[in-house]
Amino acid sequence: MRDTLLIALYAFAGAALSGLAGAGVLRLIRRRSLTASLAVVAAVGVVAMLAGTLAVAWAMFLSPHDLTVVTTVVAMAAVVSLATALLLGRWVVARSRELAVAARSFGDGEFAAPDRPATAELDALGRELAATSARLAASRQRERALETSRRELVAWISHDLRTPLAGLRAMSEALEDGVAADPDRYLKQIRTEVERLNAMVGDLFELSRIHAGTLPLTPTRISLYDLVGDALAGADPLAREHGVRLVGDRVEPVPVEVDGREMSRVLGNLLVNAIRRTPADGTVAVAAGRAADGAVVLSVTDGCGGIPEEDLPRVFDTGWRGTHARTPPAGAGLGLAIVRGIVEAHQGRATVRNIPGGCRFEVTLPTAP
């Protein structure tokens, strides 16, 4: 028993020295290729066995013949181990280089991990890089679209501001020079233009808060029936002016937890947009109720004749108007963008689709607890 413990002690001492030396070498070459590290690991295992054997032989526990046999066996094991480590290292390095080459297209939406077999870790890394690249490409695409929308908005707003400001300047100069034939009519027109400009500035301020994620919400439990009723009452004068019928007889008293003021603005924008796009003697219908999945769906249907299919994805974009005209009452093209921003702030979604004779805007909100 004592001899066995001594053999184990000498073998451990020799192997430990080899392990420490191998750790030092690995630290020195930690920035080198993985092939070199694998070769060092394989060499450490073989040298540790050889060192333990020599330590035992030094203690005279092995005969010279036995030492020669063990040394020969260890040498052959060293050759096989080093060859295997080099082959494995070259294979892993080759797969890593292929992944590095593929990563040059990272974020462009074209990244694809190599199809050749690789280790489980490299394969998982490739899948994660592909998923992250797709998300980054989508984010860049959204950023480009948002930047384009901002440029268009600046151009459109500049045009919309220039026209009424020029009119206000002309009318004020006419009043100042005393050449206005009907001063009261000029004053009424000035008031109308000022109110329009004030509404435009309010929309811009609201949209800026939405884009910045600072839109303050105070959710309260409210019946959708009451919310729709108030919106219909507010839009009735405009509907009468345009000769459009408002219908809201399919509204269920479903409870929702929303910011009443902001959601009233959503309904108001949808109704005003529908009334202005619907010809005289047309109908704008409002419906609300629960969907099959339990969510609350509010819809506004108009008689605009439909929206071109290529324009449907842009309906809720900032500045979209659906017409090349830049004259009132087309507005600044901010109403539907504000609708989407407010609805998404309530964890909902706003969509639009064509139906026979018109289109239907739908707002989906989570049900109240």
Side-chain angles (χ1 to χ4, degrees):
M1 185 65 180
R2 180 174 176 275
D3 292 341
T4 302
L5 291 176
L6 287 176
I7 291 173
L9 179 61
Y10 281 111
F12 176 78
L17 291 176
S18 301
L20 291 175
V25 174
L26 287 176
R27 180 175 178 80
L28 292 175
I29 64 171
R30 62 184 181 276
R31 299 183 184 277
R32 298 295 183 88
S33 172
L34 179 63
T35 303
S37 297
L38 289 176
V40 171
V41 171
V44 166
V46 175
V47 173
M49 182 184 299
L50 181 60
T53 303
L54 293 176
V56 173
W58 177 78
M60 301 180 67
F61 288 108
L62 286 179
S63 65
H65 177 268
D66 293 340
L67 179 60
T68 302
V69 171
V70 172
T71 304
T72 303
V73 171
V74 171
M76 296 301 101
V79 172
V80 174
S81 298
L82 289 175
T84 303
L86 291 175
L87 289 175
L88 176 61
R90 290 175 61 86
W91 181 76
V92 172
V93 169
R95 300 293 85 77
S96 300
R97 287 175 178 171
E98 291 176 357
L99 189 60
V101 171
R104 293 174 183 173
S105 61
F106 186 81
D108 296 333
E110 301 176 355
F111 175 83
D115 295 331
R116 299 178 63 180
T119 63
E121 291 79 9
L122 289 178
D123 189 53
L125 177 60
R127 291 196 303 269
E128 185 63 29
L129 286 176
T132 304
S133 177
R135 291 194 297 269
L136 182 58
S139 177
R140 286 180 176 176
Q141 186 65 27
R142 288 193 300 269
E143 184 64 27
R144 293 191 191 102
L146 182 58
E147 185 62 27
T148 301
S149 177
R150 287 172 179 170
R151 291 196 186 102
E152 293 177 350
L153 176 62
V154 170
W156 293 340
I157 291 298
S158 299
H159 182 281
D160 287 331
L161 289 176
R162 187 182 298 113
T163 301
L165 287 175
L168 288 172
R169 179 178 180 179
M171 288 185 287
S172 62
E173 288 177 351
L175 290 172
E176 183 179 3
D177 296 338
V179 297
D182 189 354
D184 291 338
R185 185 175 66 85
Y186 274 49
L187 291 174
K188 182 179 179 180
Q189 184 64 27
I190 289 175
R191 180 179 179 84
T192 301
E193 293 296 337
V194 169
E195 289 177 351
R196 177 169 172 259
L197 290 175
N198 183 64
M200 189 184 301
V201 172
D203 287 345
L204 285 172
F205 180 68
E206 183 85 351
L207 195 62
S208 67
R209 292 196 299 177
I210 291 173
H211 285 168
T214 59
L215 181 67
L217 295 177
T218 308
T220 57
R221 191 179 183 89
I222 186 174
S223 172
L224 201 59
Y225 185 86
D226 296 335
L227 196 64
V228 173
D230 293 341
L232 289 174
D236 186 65
L238 181 64
R240 291 178 181 274
E241 179 183 345
H242 286 75
V244 175
R245 294 185 300 274
L246 286 180
V247 178
D249 54 1
R250 292 196 303 136
V251 179
E252 300 177 9
V254 180
V256 289
E257 193 164 327
V258 296
D259 187 304
R261 185 176 66 87
E262 296 296 341
M263 196 53 59
S264 295
R265 182 163 193 171
V266 167
L267 290 174
N269 286 357
L270 290 177
L271 286 173
V272 168
N273 180 75
I275 291 170
R276 287 177 173 172
R277 302 296 179 181
T278 301
D281 295 331
T283 301
V284 172
V286 182
R290 290 189 184 275
D293 58 357
V296 177
V297 178
L298 169 67
S299 66
V300 176
T301 306
D302 60 35
C304 66
I307 300 173
E309 292 295 330
E310 62 272 14
D311 285 342
L312 281 176
R314 300 191 60 221
V315 168
F316 293 99
D317 288 353
T318 302
W320 185 87
R321 307 187 195 192
T323 175
H324 294 293
R326 299 300 177 210
T327 56
L334 306 180
L336 293 180
I338 291 174
V339 166
R340 181 176 63 178
I342 294 175
V343 171
E344 291 180 350
H346 284 85
Q347 308 303 317
R349 67 180 184 276
T351 57
V352 61
R353 58 188 174 91
N354 285 324
I355 61 172
C359 59
R360 176 173 296 160
F361 289 84
E362 292 186 347
V363 172
T364 304
L365 297 170
T367 184

